[in-house]
Amino acid sequence: MINRIKIHFDQEREYVPLEAVRVLPEFFKQMMSGNGLFLKGYDSPVKVKFKGERPDGAHIWELETMPEMIETIFTIQATPSFHVEIDYELQNQKDNLLLGKVIDRRQTYTVRQEPRNQKARGNVVASNFLIAKTNIDFSKLTGVSSQVILSDIQRTVLKNYPQSKVVFISSSIHSDEIDLMKEHKKPIFILDTENFESFDAPDVFDPKKTFEDEFLLDDKVIEYKKKKIGSYLYYPLFIQMKEMHFFAYLSLETERTRIPAEVLDLFKEVERTFQERIMDSNTHILDIKQNVLNVSRGGVALEINNMEIVQALKVKPSFTLDINFKLQAPIRMAIELRHLEEVNDFYRLGGRITGVSGDKKAKEIYHSLIDFFN
């Protein structure tokens, strides 16, 4: 039986509108004679055939195999060299025929440069996973070591803004701004406190309407005027474990208006660097073997049946492992998680290789082994 895949992690691709907008039928015909067209989101490949276009623009598709259930929105995908997806609204279904109206079409920026070696399974295994600990004591994690790490980062990254501060959250610290950052998990960046103008960005929370709805805006304007704060940026710091923990925020307050936008980028760098350092210091090696599904010069796909690895990836979506080709010395590499899917009784993991241990020769050996086992 063909079932829907459950997505646990999917790193967003960068898409552009599909160029072949007015020649989709021709594009479909090319794909059917090449790499093929498939229905997205199922645990087994569901190959499809384009059967024609109706006068109203709806497309008719024939499925070679029928999955358990077709959603009201379905997606046809193809990967000639770049990746293409076309979303449809299901209008009718009869046996293995689908009638759908196109609602979106897109293609990726990136083009796959190297083919995947699909013969890895049985010839290649992964072992010695260096993953995040999932049973960390949060009180210890946010203790002295995290304060030392943040202070060091602040001295280096924010050296041009010595008036910036790291404020650690305690049970005694409460404010409207802290509550809003905790609730929305976004920074607050007010350019001018006199008119409460916020920095305009989707990843920045604008508190003005909230303060207006709660009749607090006038009080806030007066409060910041008394404190001689013309502009401020508060950036929350969360630690992702089994859930998000808000433990500190970065703060910059100035008497003048309009803190430069570059400070927001610097605060993001502080957050990113801190997360990397704190998680790197709370890892352990899991000495087990997992199947390798395919390999390429740029990435690997694994079959994961160990829940500790799955839970660790939700905490820290990067890890290191040994790739073991038959009768060859292990190759140690760092992996960044790209996608994680639940397929029946196992998980399918796709990762990008971000580094190979050793000198340049280690990477050359890995590339030669991919070709050898092809």
Side-chain angles (χ1 to χ4, degrees):
M1 183 179 291
I2 299 172
N3 300 307
R4 291 283 296 178
I5 289 172
K6 185 176 180 182
I7 306 295
H8 288 267
F9 183 93
D10 193 13
Q11 191 174 79
E12 289 187 8
R13 298 175 186 258
E14 291 188 23
Y15 285 102
V16 293
L18 179 61
E19 293 177 358
V21 173
R22 298 187 181 179
V23 289
L24 278 178
E26 185 61 35
F27 173 76
F28 294 150
K29 291 173 185 177
Q30 291 174 3
M31 289 300 96
M32 285 190 292
S33 62
N35 294 341
L37 292 156
F38 297 88
L39 188 64
K40 181 182 178 181
Y42 293 88
D43 58 8
S44 297
V46 180
K47 201 166 187 178
V48 299
K49 292 180 181 178
F50 177 67
K51 302 299 288 184
E53 183 175 19
R54 296 201 327 180
D56 63 358
H59 291 165
I60 304 167
W61 291 96
E62 181 183 31
L63 280 59
E64 286 192 354
T65 52
M66 280 302 296
E68 182 183 17
M69 182 178 66
I70 299 294
E71 304 288 344
T72 55
I73 303 296
F74 65 93
T75 300
I76 303 297
Q77 63 181 10
T79 309
S81 56
F82 51 93
H83 184 75
V84 172
E85 293 185 356
I86 302 101
D87 294 336
Y88 286 86
E89 181 180 0
L90 180 65
Q91 295 184 317
N92 197 6
Q93 177 182 354
K94 184 177 181 181
D95 298 327
N96 64 332
L97 292 176
L98 302 181
L99 179 68
K101 190 84 171 180
V102 176
I103 55 177
D104 190 29
R105 51 178 80 78
R106 54 197 175 272
Q107 70 181 61
T108 55
Y109 279 107
T110 55
V111 175
R112 182 176 295 147
Q113 301 294 332
E114 297 291 339
R116 293 172 177 169
N117 182 334
Q118 302 288 354
K119 297 180 181 179
R121 185 170 184 139
N123 292 312
V124 189
V125 296
S127 63
N128 290 326
F129 289 76
L130 181 64
I131 56 174
K133 294 178 181 177
T134 56
N135 58 345
I136 305 171
D137 184 337
F138 180 70
S139 63
K140 293 180 180 177
L141 188 63
T142 56
V144 176
S145 60
S146 64
Q147 296 183 36
V148 171
I149 291 173
L150 274 173
S151 297
D152 178 61
I153 295 172
Q154 188 182 20
R155 281 195 301 271
T156 54
V157 179
L158 299 173
K159 58 186 177 183
N160 293 329
Y161 296 92
Q163 67 272 45
S164 63
K165 298 182 294 185
V166 179
V167 182
F168 288 90
I169 305 297
S170 69
S171 57
S172 61
I173 297 181
H174 293 284
S175 75
D176 298 314
E177 290 79 5
I178 288 175
D179 291 341
L180 289 172
M181 285 191 290
K182 184 176 182 179
E183 178 184 353
H184 296 280
K185 297 179 174 56
K186 291 182 178 182
I188 296 175
F189 189 179
I190 300 300
L191 299 172
D192 186 347
T193 57
E194 189 169 336
N195 55 31
F196 239 77
E197 178 188 355
S198 177
F199 184 84
D200 187 15
D203 57 348
V204 172
F205 179 72
D206 183 355
K208 186 173 184 177
K209 186 176 186 309
T210 302
F211 289 152
E212 284 177 334
D213 292 345
E214 296 178 0
F215 304 102
L216 291 173
L217 185 59
D218 290 341
D219 292 338
K220 287 294 177 183
V221 171
I222 294 170
E223 176 188 338
Y224 287 114
K225 189 173 183 180
K226 284 183 178 178
K227 293 179 177 178
K228 295 184 178 180
I229 297 174
S231 179
Y232 70 86
L233 170 56
Y234 300 151
Y235 194 102
L237 294 176
F238 290 87
I239 290 182
Q240 172 70 61
M241 295 195 297
K242 291 183 178 178
E243 57 186 42
M244 296 283 278
H245 289 272
F246 181 29
F247 75 101
Y249 67 93
L250 303 171
S251 165
L252 180 60
E253 302 169 342
T254 64
E255 189 171 348
R256 64 183 185 281
T257 59
R258 299 191 177 273
I259 292 172
E262 68 175 32
V263 181
L264 180 62
D265 293 330
L266 289 173
F267 278 12
K268 289 179 181 177
E269 186 180 345
V270 170
E271 177 190 36
R272 184 170 56 252
T273 306
F274 173 75
Q275 289 282 358
E276 289 174 356
R277 290 195 191 178
I278 199 70
M279 285 304 169
D280 285 347
S281 64
N282 287 278
T283 56
H284 71 125
I285 287 183
L286 193 61
D287 185 14
I288 62 168
K289 290 182 170 63
Q290 302 284 273
N291 289 326
V292 175
L293 298 175
N294 63 62
V295 289
S296 69
R297 294 191 173 210
V300 298
L302 308 176
E303 179 185 291
I304 302 295
N305 53 35
N306 180 278
M307 283 305 299
E308 188 173 351
I309 295 176
V310 173
Q311 293 300 328
L313 291 174
K314 293 178 181 179
V315 172
K316 181 176 183 280
S318 61
F319 57 100
T320 61
L321 51 67
D322 286 341
I323 292 291
N324 304 268
F325 290 83
K326 274 188 176 180
L327 305 177
Q328 303 294 322
I331 297 174
R332 191 77 180 161
M333 57 179 59
I335 304 293
E336 176 190 70
L337 183 65
R338 299 302 297 271
H339 62 83
L340 183 66
E341 305 161 346
E342 188 174 349
V343 185
N344 297 326
D345 58 349
F346 70 93
Y347 291 79
R348 187 162 57 205
L349 178 158
R352 183 173 69 89
I353 299 171
T354 57
V356 177
S357 290
D359 54 19
K360 184 180 177 183
K361 192 174 180 182
K363 187 176 288 187
E364 291 174 352
I365 292 172
Y366 172 64
H367 292 166
S368 67
L369 286 171
I370 293 175
D371 296 334
F372 179 76
F373 281 91
N374 211 338

